[in-house]
Amino acid sequence: TLVSAVLEHVPGIWFGVRASARTAMECSPTVGPAICYDRGMLRIVPFILLAAAAVADDIHVFSHPAMGSEFEVRIVASHEVAEEAAAEVFELIDALEEEISSWRETSYTTYVNRHAAEAPVRVSPNVLELFSESKKLSEQSFGAFDPTIGPLLDVWKIRSGGETPSDDAIAVALDRVGMGHIHINEPDSTIAYDREGVWVDWGAVGKGYALDRIAKRFRDHGIESALLSAGTSTIIALNPPPGDAGWAVPVPTASASAASGIVHLANAALSTSVCFESAMGPCDILDPRSGRAVSVASSATVIAETGLAADALSTALLVMRRDEAERFFADYLDIRARRIAAGGTPETYNWND
């Protein structure tokens, strides 16, 4: 991945282990190529008791495919602690995907989308939190982020490559879009929709939320130094390795696949959303308020406290007008952002290099 390509070459750091969810390759640094051997099946056992046994705290890297991306964790700990931690959180991600994916027929989200207009539906704590936090972020972003975008995804045929719909089709879809259609009862853990045809899609925030869950699990078990990523778009940094000011993280743009720079991240989340030309026009991101594709190709990077917030707001920033972005970031000074139109000058909000 882009993150891997940049971070693997940070001077003075050797990433000694890379593993998938099932197989780890342990490598010993040598003069010349590293010597690697198969560690075999990862054991899934509680790793909290192993934290005190950490002796040599190297950086160990493990990866696992989920949610259409490659999740990667870089853990500063002993090999044994890191290996058990990675196994546990990869299992956690798989379970979370089963809960929240609108692509899975058996998920809570799919069930809610099908039945919440008939009667309130009781949901899991994770799904309830996604609804609650997303509603707040939608209101704060002037509706530029809105997970009820599902009906628009249908009429634009997003899942089959994209196709421009008629004005009438957009109008019909827009009648079923908006967080005002969602009724959240937190004491009862239920979700209700006020009309048929409303449906949510967590594609803009699912990876960020998954990284939030990983970060919480690590901290609960005493792992304080780690870098977590989902593809090249969403990253959470815990404490950096000893002696470093932060984890070196690349920031891509809309104009090229290469990184445009490096930020040093610690105890924060970063998400970059990029739109490109497609059958939908110059940008393949939809504005949930107008029902139309954004008219300018650009990239947006947001640094926030949580992965969910960074994910949601990087998407929202692609949609917001400049005056909306200025108003939002004037109210939320702890959130940093940069937006770059293809070939254009960066707009920065609370950003500092």
Side-chain angles (χ1 to χ4, degrees), residues 92-112:
L92 179 154
I93 294 171
D94 288 341
L96 182 63
E97 186 172 14
E98 287 291 335
E99 278 187 70
I100 71 173
S101 175
S102 61
W103 294 68
R104 301 285 178 96
E105 288 292 314
T106 56
S107 75
Y108 273 103
T109 298
T110 298
Y111 189 86
V112 170

Side-chain angles (χ1 to χ4, degrees), residues 66-82:
M67 299 185 182
S69 293
E70 190 78 5
F71 279 74
E72 186 174 271
V73 294
R74 296 173 180 267
I75 305 169
V76 180
S78 70
H79 181 268
E80 187 176 15
V81 169

Side-chain angles (χ1 to χ4, degrees), residues 19 73 78 104 144 168 177 183 229 235-236 283 303:
V73 294
S78 70
R104 301 285 178 96
D168 288 345
V177 173
H183 300 283
S229 63
I235 295 167
I236 289 181
C283 179
I303 298 175

Side-chain angles (χ1 to χ4, degrees), residues 179-226:
M179 289 301 291
H181 297 309
I182 308 294
H183 300 283
I184 304 169
N185 186 324
E186 294 196 12
D188 291 343
S189 297
T190 61
I191 302 296
Y193 296 169
D194 69 2
R195 66 187 62 192
E196 294 285 347
V198 174
W199 68 274
V200 300
D201 180 84
W202 303 120
V205 294
K207 291 185 291 184
Y209 183 72
L211 293 180
D212 287 335
R213 304 269 52 79
I214 294 174
K216 183 178 186 305
R217 184 65 61 90
F218 278 1
R219 287 174 173 136
D220 285 349
H221 291 329
I223 293 177
E224 296 292 339
S225 182

Side-chain angles (χ1 to χ4, degrees), residues 6-346:
V6 174
L7 295 184
E8 293 280 6
H9 293 90
V10 176
I13 296 179
W14 173 72
F15 297 108
V17 179
R18 177 177 298 278
S20 71
R22 294 185 177 276
T23 304
M25 298 295 293
E26 182 167 344
C27 304
S28 301
T30 62
V31 178
I35 300 172
C36 303
Y37 59 95
D38 191 351
R39 292 280 299 184
M41 183 72 75
L42 291 177
R43 301 180 304 280
I44 299 176
V45 298
F47 54 86
I48 186 169
L49 297 178
L50 298 173
V55 178
D57 287 351
D58 295 321
I59 299 176
H60 303 281
V61 186
F62 302 84
S63 62
H64 176 65
M67 299 185 182
S69 293
E70 190 78 5
F71 279 74
E72 186 174 271
V73 294
R74 296 173 180 267
I75 305 169
V76 180
S78 70
H79 181 268
E80 187 176 15
V81 169
E83 185 179 64
E84 305 300 348
E88 182 170 327
V89 296
F90 291 155
E91 187 178 62
L92 179 154
I93 294 171
D94 288 341
L96 182 63
E97 186 172 14
E98 287 291 335
E99 278 187 70
I100 71 173
S101 175
S102 61
W103 294 68
R104 301 285 178 96
E105 288 292 314
T106 56
S107 75
Y108 273 103
T109 298
T110 298
Y111 189 86
V112 170
N113 284 338
R114 289 177 176 171
H115 300 287
E118 302 163 1
V121 175
R122 188 176 300 277
V123 296
S124 68
N126 286 326
V127 173
L128 185 68
E129 184 175 20
L130 275 170
F131 272 102
S132 298
E133 293 302 312
S134 294
K135 188 162 190 173
K136 294 174 190 173
L137 288 163
S138 183
E139 292 168 354
Q140 292 165 354
S141 65
F142 315 109
F145 162 69
D146 193 330
T148 67
I149 200 170
L152 288 171
L153 301 181
D154 282 342
V155 298
W156 280 86
K157 301 189 185 315
I158 297 298
R159 293 183 176 181
S160 57
E163 178 182 303
T164 303
S166 67
D167 291 347
D168 288 345
I170 291 174
V172 170
L174 280 174
D175 193 48
R176 302 192 298 272
V177 173
M179 289 301 291
H181 297 309
I182 308 294
H183 300 283
I184 304 169
N185 186 324
E186 294 196 12
D188 291 343
S189 297
T190 61
I191 302 296
Y193 296 169
D194 69 2
R195 66 187 62 192
E196 294 285 347
V198 174
W199 68 274
V200 300
D201 180 84
W202 303 120
V205 294
K207 291 185 291 184
Y209 183 72
L211 293 180
D212 287 335
R213 304 269 52 79
I214 294 174
K216 183 178 186 305
R217 184 65 61 90
F218 278 1
R219 287 174 173 136
D220 285 349
H221 291 329
I223 293 177
E224 296 292 339
S225 182
L227 183 71
L228 325 172
S229 63
T232 59
S233 63
T234 310
I235 295 167
I236 289 181
L238 278 61
N239 289 334
D244 291 349
W247 292 92
V249 174
V251 182
T253 72
S255 58
S257 59
S260 65
I262 299 291
V263 297
H264 291 87
L265 204 63
N267 296 304
L270 178 149
S271 178
T272 295
S273 293
V274 182
C275 63
F276 296 101
E277 186 171 358
S278 71
M280 299 165 60
C283 179
D284 56 357
I285 301 294
L286 293 174
D287 184 337
R289 303 167 300 183
S290 69
R292 301 186 181 280
V294 174
S295 61
V296 178
S298 60
S299 73
T301 297
V302 171
I303 298 175
E305 183 179 358
T306 68
L308 189 155
D311 250 4
L313 293 173
S314 65
T315 301
L317 186 54
L318 291 179
V319 173
M320 287 181 185
R321 301 188 309 268
R322 183 160 190 161
D323 64 298
E324 290 174 328
E326 289 171 348
R327 286 162 56 197
F328 175 86
F329 290 104
D331 287 339
Y332 298 95
L333 297 176
D334 58 332
I335 300 175
R336 301 160 53 194
R338 183 177 71 173
R339 176 168 63 184
I340 308 175
T345 302

